[in-house]
mmCIF file of all heavy atoms in Angstrom:
data_model
loop_
_atom_site.group_PDB
_atom_site.id
_atom_site.type_symbol
_atom_site.label_atom_id
_atom_site.label_comp_id
_atom_site.label_asym_id
_atom_site.label_seq_id
_atom_site.Cartn_x
_atom_site.Cartn_y
_atom_site.Cartn_z
ATOM 1 N N ILE A 42 -77.646 254.267 -107.481
ATOM 2 C CA ILE A 42 -76.995 255.218 -106.571
ATOM 3 C C ILE A 42 -75.934 254.478 -105.757
ATOM 4 O O ILE A 42 -76.263 253.657 -104.881
ATOM 5 C CB ILE A 42 -78.033 255.878 -105.647
ATOM 6 C CG1 ILE A 42 -79.148 256.517 -106.501
ATOM 7 C CG2 ILE A 42 -77.371 256.914 -104.746
ATOM 8 C CD1 ILE A 42 -80.336 257.005 -105.701
ATOM 9 N N PRO A 43 -74.661 254.722 -106.033
ATOM 10 C CA PRO A 43 -73.595 253.966 -105.356
ATOM 11 C C PRO A 43 -73.397 254.408 -103.906
ATOM 12 O O PRO A 43 -73.912 255.448 -103.476
ATOM 13 C CB PRO A 43 -72.359 254.287 -106.204
ATOM 14 C CG PRO A 43 -72.653 255.631 -106.790
ATOM 15 C CD PRO A 43 -74.133 255.685 -107.003
ATOM 16 N N ASN A 44 -72.630 253.581 -103.171
ATOM 17 C CA ASN A 44 -72.220 253.894 -101.793
ATOM 18 C C ASN A 44 -73.400 254.261 -100.903
ATOM 19 O O ASN A 44 -73.395 255.274 -100.201
ATOM 20 C CB ASN A 44 -71.185 255.022 -101.792
ATOM 21 C CG ASN A 44 -69.955 254.655 -102.598
ATOM 22 O OD1 ASN A 44 -69.437 253.540 -102.491
ATOM 23 N ND2 ASN A 44 -69.480 255.581 -103.424
ATOM 24 N N THR A 45 -74.417 253.429 -100.963
ATOM 25 C CA THR A 45 -75.631 253.662 -100.186
ATOM 26 C C THR A 45 -75.683 252.710 -98.997
ATOM 27 O O THR A 45 -75.380 251.521 -99.110
ATOM 28 C CB THR A 45 -76.877 253.455 -101.053
ATOM 29 O OG1 THR A 45 -76.866 254.405 -102.122
ATOM 30 C CG2 THR A 45 -78.146 253.638 -100.236
ATOM 31 N N ASP A 46 -76.076 253.258 -97.845
ATOM 32 C CA ASP A 46 -76.313 252.456 -96.642
ATOM 33 C C ASP A 46 -77.816 252.331 -96.419
ATOM 34 O O ASP A 46 -78.575 253.275 -96.676
ATOM 35 C CB ASP A 46 -75.691 253.114 -95.406
ATOM 36 C CG ASP A 46 -74.164 253.050 -95.397
ATOM 37 O OD1 ASP A 46 -73.591 252.510 -96.362
ATOM 38 O OD2 ASP A 46 -73.559 253.546 -94.432
ATOM 39 N N ILE A 47 -78.220 251.174 -95.917
ATOM 40 C CA ILE A 47 -79.636 250.914 -95.642
ATOM 41 C C ILE A 47 -79.778 250.421 -94.206
ATOM 42 O O ILE A 47 -79.111 249.451 -93.801
ATOM 43 C CB ILE A 47 -80.211 249.872 -96.613
ATOM 44 C CG1 ILE A 47 -80.211 250.425 -98.047
ATOM 45 C CG2 ILE A 47 -81.618 249.450 -96.202
ATOM 46 C CD1 ILE A 47 -80.688 249.430 -99.082
ATOM 47 N N ALA A 48 -80.634 251.084 -93.449
ATOM 48 C CA ALA A 48 -80.902 250.679 -92.070
ATOM 49 C C ALA A 48 -82.306 250.085 -91.973
ATOM 50 O O ALA A 48 -83.271 250.649 -92.503
ATOM 51 C CB ALA A 48 -80.777 251.877 -91.138
ATOM 52 N N ILE A 49 -82.401 248.946 -91.301
ATOM 53 C CA ILE A 49 -83.659 248.202 -91.181
ATOM 54 C C ILE A 49 -84.050 248.099 -89.716
ATOM 55 O O ILE A 49 -83.215 247.791 -88.856
ATOM 56 C CB ILE A 49 -83.508 246.793 -91.779
ATOM 57 C CG1 ILE A 49 -83.187 246.870 -93.287
ATOM 58 C CG2 ILE A 49 -84.764 245.960 -91.548
ATOM 59 C CD1 ILE A 49 -82.758 245.548 -93.890
ATOM 60 N N LYS A 50 -85.328 248.345 -89.443
ATOM 61 C CA LYS A 50 -85.848 248.229 -88.088
ATOM 62 C C LYS A 50 -87.210 247.561 -88.111
ATOM 63 O O LYS A 50 -88.097 247.949 -88.882
ATOM 64 C CB LYS A 50 -85.978 249.626 -87.450
ATOM 65 C CG LYS A 50 -86.509 249.621 -86.028
ATOM 66 C CD LYS A 50 -85.500 248.997 -85.060
ATOM 67 C CE LYS A 50 -85.978 249.123 -83.610
ATOM 68 N NZ LYS A 50 -85.019 248.504 -82.666
ATOM 69 N N SER A 51 -87.369 246.537 -87.285
ATOM 70 C CA SER A 51 -88.664 245.840 -87.131
ATOM 71 C C SER A 51 -89.234 245.392 -88.466
ATOM 72 O O SER A 51 -90.437 245.499 -88.724
ATOM 73 C CB SER A 51 -89.667 246.734 -86.398
ATOM 74 O OG SER A 51 -89.187 247.064 -85.120
ATOM 75 N N GLY A 52 -88.333 244.910 -89.348
ATOM 76 C CA GLY A 52 -88.778 244.344 -90.617
ATOM 77 C C GLY A 52 -89.062 245.352 -91.699
ATOM 78 O O GLY A 52 -89.536 244.975 -92.779
ATOM 79 N N ARG A 53 -88.759 246.660 -91.455
ATOM 80 C CA ARG A 53 -89.025 247.699 -92.456
ATOM 81 C C ARG A 53 -87.777 248.555 -92.678
ATOM 82 O O ARG A 53 -86.907 248.650 -91.814
ATOM 83 C CB ARG A 53 -90.197 248.585 -92.026
ATOM 84 C CG ARG A 53 -91.532 247.848 -91.960
ATOM 85 C CD ARG A 53 -92.671 248.780 -91.580
ATOM 86 N NE ARG A 53 -93.942 248.072 -91.481
ATOM 87 C CZ ARG A 53 -94.768 247.853 -92.495
ATOM 88 N NH1 ARG A 53 -94.458 248.321 -93.699
ATOM 89 N NH2 ARG A 53 -95.890 247.189 -92.324
ATOM 90 N N PHE A 54 -87.731 249.162 -93.869
ATOM 91 C CA PHE A 54 -86.652 250.102 -94.152
ATOM 92 C C PHE A 54 -86.878 251.386 -93.358
ATOM 93 O O PHE A 54 -87.966 251.965 -93.397
ATOM 94 C CB PHE A 54 -86.601 250.437 -95.643
ATOM 95 C CG PHE A 54 -86.275 249.264 -96.523
ATOM 96 C CD1 PHE A 54 -87.188 248.815 -97.473
ATOM 97 C CD2 PHE A 54 -85.057 248.604 -96.422
ATOM 98 C CE1 PHE A 54 -86.894 247.741 -98.301
ATOM 99 C CE2 PHE A 54 -84.749 247.526 -97.242
ATOM 100 C CZ PHE A 54 -85.675 247.089 -98.182
ATOM 101 N N ALA A 55 -85.836 251.823 -92.633
ATOM 102 C CA ALA A 55 -85.942 253.050 -91.837
ATOM 103 C C ALA A 55 -85.149 254.199 -92.438
ATOM 104 O O ALA A 55 -85.586 255.355 -92.401
ATOM 105 C CB ALA A 55 -85.464 252.781 -90.413
ATOM 106 N N TYR A 56 -83.973 253.888 -92.973
ATOM 107 C CA TYR A 56 -83.099 254.935 -93.502
ATOM 108 C C TYR A 56 -82.369 254.392 -94.720
ATOM 109 O O TYR A 56 -81.851 253.268 -94.696
ATOM 110 C CB TYR A 56 -82.088 255.360 -92.430
ATOM 111 C CG TYR A 56 -80.961 256.241 -92.939
ATOM 112 C CD1 TYR A 56 -81.093 257.624 -92.976
ATOM 113 C CD2 TYR A 56 -79.774 255.676 -93.395
ATOM 114 C CE1 TYR A 56 -80.060 258.429 -93.454
ATOM 115 C CE2 TYR A 56 -78.742 256.477 -93.884
ATOM 116 C CZ TYR A 56 -78.891 257.838 -93.914
ATOM 117 O OH TYR A 56 -77.877 258.642 -94.387
ATOM 118 N N ILE A 57 -82.318 255.196 -95.784
ATOM 119 C CA ILE A 57 -81.523 254.872 -96.970
ATOM 120 C C ILE A 57 -80.768 256.137 -97.335
ATOM 121 O O ILE A 57 -81.383 257.155 -97.696
ATOM 122 C CB ILE A 57 -82.397 254.401 -98.163
ATOM 123 C CG1 ILE A 57 -83.277 253.212 -97.773
ATOM 124 C CG2 ILE A 57 -81.514 254.006 -99.334
ATOM 125 C CD1 ILE A 57 -84.696 253.569 -97.463
ATOM 126 N N GLY A 58 -79.445 256.097 -97.232
ATOM 127 C CA GLY A 58 -78.654 257.295 -97.509
ATOM 128 C C GLY A 58 -77.177 256.982 -97.631
ATOM 129 O O GLY A 58 -76.773 255.823 -97.726
ATOM 130 N N ASN A 59 -76.343 258.052 -97.596
ATOM 131 C CA ASN A 59 -74.912 257.841 -97.834
ATOM 132 C C ASN A 59 -74.141 257.365 -96.620
ATOM 133 O O ASN A 59 -72.987 256.957 -96.738
ATOM 134 C CB ASN A 59 -74.264 259.101 -98.429
ATOM 135 C CG ASN A 59 -74.459 260.312 -97.528
ATOM 136 O OD1 ASN A 59 -74.833 260.193 -96.364
ATOM 137 N ND2 ASN A 59 -74.233 261.492 -98.087
ATOM 138 N N SER A 60 -74.754 257.420 -95.447
ATOM 139 C CA SER A 60 -74.104 256.860 -94.265
ATOM 140 C C SER A 60 -75.143 256.543 -93.205
ATOM 141 O O SER A 60 -75.939 257.405 -92.817
ATOM 142 C CB SER A 60 -73.079 257.839 -93.676
ATOM 143 O OG SER A 60 -72.537 257.299 -92.478
ATOM 144 N N ALA A 61 -75.128 255.299 -92.723
ATOM 145 C CA ALA A 61 -76.057 254.880 -91.659
ATOM 146 C C ALA A 61 -75.308 254.615 -90.356
ATOM 147 O O ALA A 61 -75.804 253.900 -89.483
ATOM 148 C CB ALA A 61 -76.811 253.630 -92.094
ATOM 149 N N LYS A 62 -74.122 255.224 -90.204
ATOM 150 C CA LYS A 62 -73.329 254.993 -88.985
ATOM 151 C C LYS A 62 -74.100 255.389 -87.737
ATOM 152 O O LYS A 62 -73.943 254.766 -86.676
ATOM 153 C CB LYS A 62 -72.013 255.765 -89.076
ATOM 154 C CG LYS A 62 -71.032 255.201 -90.094
ATOM 155 C CD LYS A 62 -69.740 256.002 -90.110
ATOM 156 C CE LYS A 62 -68.760 255.414 -91.146
ATOM 157 N NZ LYS A 62 -67.506 256.191 -91.221
ATOM 158 N N HIS A 63 -74.925 256.430 -87.870
ATOM 159 C CA HIS A 63 -75.684 256.907 -86.705
ATOM 160 C C HIS A 63 -76.774 255.936 -86.262
ATOM 161 O O HIS A 63 -77.373 256.128 -85.200
ATOM 162 C CB HIS A 63 -76.308 258.267 -87.025
ATOM 163 C CG HIS A 63 -77.312 258.233 -88.127
ATOM 164 N ND1 HIS A 63 -76.983 258.001 -89.440
ATOM 165 C CD2 HIS A 63 -78.675 258.412 -88.109
ATOM 166 C CE1 HIS A 63 -78.071 258.035 -90.184
ATOM 167 N NE2 HIS A 63 -79.112 258.278 -89.401
ATOM 168 N N THR A 64 -77.023 254.893 -87.049
ATOM 169 C CA THR A 64 -78.068 253.917 -86.699
ATOM 170 C C THR A 64 -77.486 252.617 -86.153
ATOM 171 O O THR A 64 -78.236 251.691 -85.840
ATOM 172 C CB THR A 64 -78.938 253.582 -87.932
ATOM 173 O OG1 THR A 64 -78.182 252.767 -88.834
ATOM 174 C CG2 THR A 64 -79.414 254.831 -88.641
ATOM 175 N N ILE A 65 -76.163 252.542 -86.052
ATOM 176 C CA ILE A 65 -75.510 251.289 -85.660
ATOM 177 C C ILE A 65 -75.196 251.293 -84.169
ATOM 178 O O ILE A 65 -74.508 252.198 -83.651
ATOM 179 C CB ILE A 65 -74.214 251.070 -86.463
ATOM 180 C CG1 ILE A 65 -74.537 250.966 -87.955
ATOM 181 C CG2 ILE A 65 -73.487 249.811 -85.990
ATOM 182 C CD1 ILE A 65 -73.307 250.856 -88.847
ATOM 183 N N GLY A 66 -75.718 250.283 -83.469
ATOM 184 C CA GLY A 66 -75.420 250.073 -82.066
ATOM 185 C C GLY A 66 -74.697 248.756 -81.871
ATOM 186 O O GLY A 66 -74.400 248.037 -82.839
ATOM 187 N N LYS A 67 -74.456 248.386 -80.638
ATOM 188 C CA LYS A 67 -73.690 247.163 -80.374
ATOM 189 C C LYS A 67 -74.420 245.896 -80.793
ATOM 190 O O LYS A 67 -73.797 244.872 -81.056
ATOM 191 C CB LYS A 67 -73.310 247.089 -78.891
ATOM 192 C CG LYS A 67 -74.474 246.978 -77.925
ATOM 193 C CD LYS A 67 -73.968 246.952 -76.494
ATOM 194 C CE LYS A 67 -75.102 246.868 -75.489
ATOM 195 N NZ LYS A 67 -75.865 245.621 -75.575
ATOM 196 N N ASP A 68 -75.741 245.958 -80.898
ATOM 197 C CA ASP A 68 -76.510 244.776 -81.296
ATOM 198 C C ASP A 68 -76.949 244.804 -82.763
ATOM 199 O O ASP A 68 -77.669 243.909 -83.224
ATOM 200 C CB ASP A 68 -77.756 244.647 -80.410
ATOM 201 C CG ASP A 68 -77.410 244.371 -78.954
ATOM 202 O OD1 ASP A 68 -76.415 243.653 -78.712
ATOM 203 O OD2 ASP A 68 -78.110 244.903 -78.068
ATOM 204 N N THR A 69 -76.517 245.819 -83.495
ATOM 205 C CA THR A 69 -76.915 245.929 -84.897
ATOM 206 C C THR A 69 -76.087 244.993 -85.764
ATOM 207 O O THR A 69 -74.853 244.985 -85.684
ATOM 208 C CB THR A 69 -76.725 247.376 -85.402
ATOM 209 O OG1 THR A 69 -77.492 248.269 -84.588
ATOM 210 C CG2 THR A 69 -77.162 247.505 -86.860
ATOM 211 N N GLN A 70 -76.760 244.198 -86.557
ATOM 212 C CA GLN A 70 -76.060 243.334 -87.523
ATOM 213 C C GLN A 70 -75.633 244.183 -88.710
ATOM 214 O O GLN A 70 -76.430 244.970 -89.226
ATOM 215 C CB GLN A 70 -76.972 242.203 -87.996
ATOM 216 C CG GLN A 70 -76.328 241.282 -89.029
ATOM 217 C CD GLN A 70 -77.304 240.307 -89.660
ATOM 218 O OE1 GLN A 70 -78.513 240.505 -89.607
ATOM 219 N NE2 GLN A 70 -76.792 239.260 -90.264
ATOM 220 N N THR A 71 -74.393 244.033 -89.149
ATOM 221 C CA THR A 71 -73.910 244.809 -90.295
ATOM 222 C C THR A 71 -73.487 243.873 -91.418
ATOM 223 O O THR A 71 -72.889 242.828 -91.191
ATOM 224 C CB THR A 71 -72.731 245.714 -89.907
ATOM 225 O OG1 THR A 71 -71.663 244.905 -89.389
ATOM 226 C CG2 THR A 71 -73.154 246.736 -88.860
ATOM 227 N N ILE A 72 -73.827 244.286 -92.639
ATOM 228 C CA ILE A 72 -73.497 243.509 -93.838
ATOM 229 C C ILE A 72 -72.879 244.462 -94.856
ATOM 230 O O ILE A 72 -73.494 245.476 -95.209
ATOM 231 C CB ILE A 72 -74.754 242.841 -94.436
ATOM 232 C CG1 ILE A 72 -75.355 241.851 -93.445
ATOM 233 C CG2 ILE A 72 -74.424 242.150 -95.763
ATOM 234 C CD1 ILE A 72 -76.704 241.282 -93.869
ATOM 235 N N ASN A 73 -71.677 244.163 -95.309
ATOM 236 C CA ASN A 73 -71.013 245.003 -96.304
ATOM 237 C C ASN A 73 -71.417 244.541 -97.703
ATOM 238 O O ASN A 73 -71.232 243.378 -98.054
ATOM 239 C CB ASN A 73 -69.492 244.932 -96.138
ATOM 240 C CG ASN A 73 -68.788 245.971 -96.993
ATOM 241 O OD1 ASN A 73 -68.943 245.999 -98.210
ATOM 242 N ND2 ASN A 73 -68.006 246.834 -96.351
#
Side-chain angles (χ1 to χ4, degrees):
I42 305 171
N44 301 316
T45 298
D46 289 1
I47 295 177
I49 298 169
K50 180 68 174 179
S51 300
R53 295 182 182 273
F54 296 118
Y56 169 89
I57 304 100
N59 57 14
S60 176
K62 289 181 180 178
H63 64 291
T64 73
I65 298 176
K67 64 182 179 65
D68 295 325
T69 302
Q70 179 189 19
T71 59
I72 298 172
N73 190 302

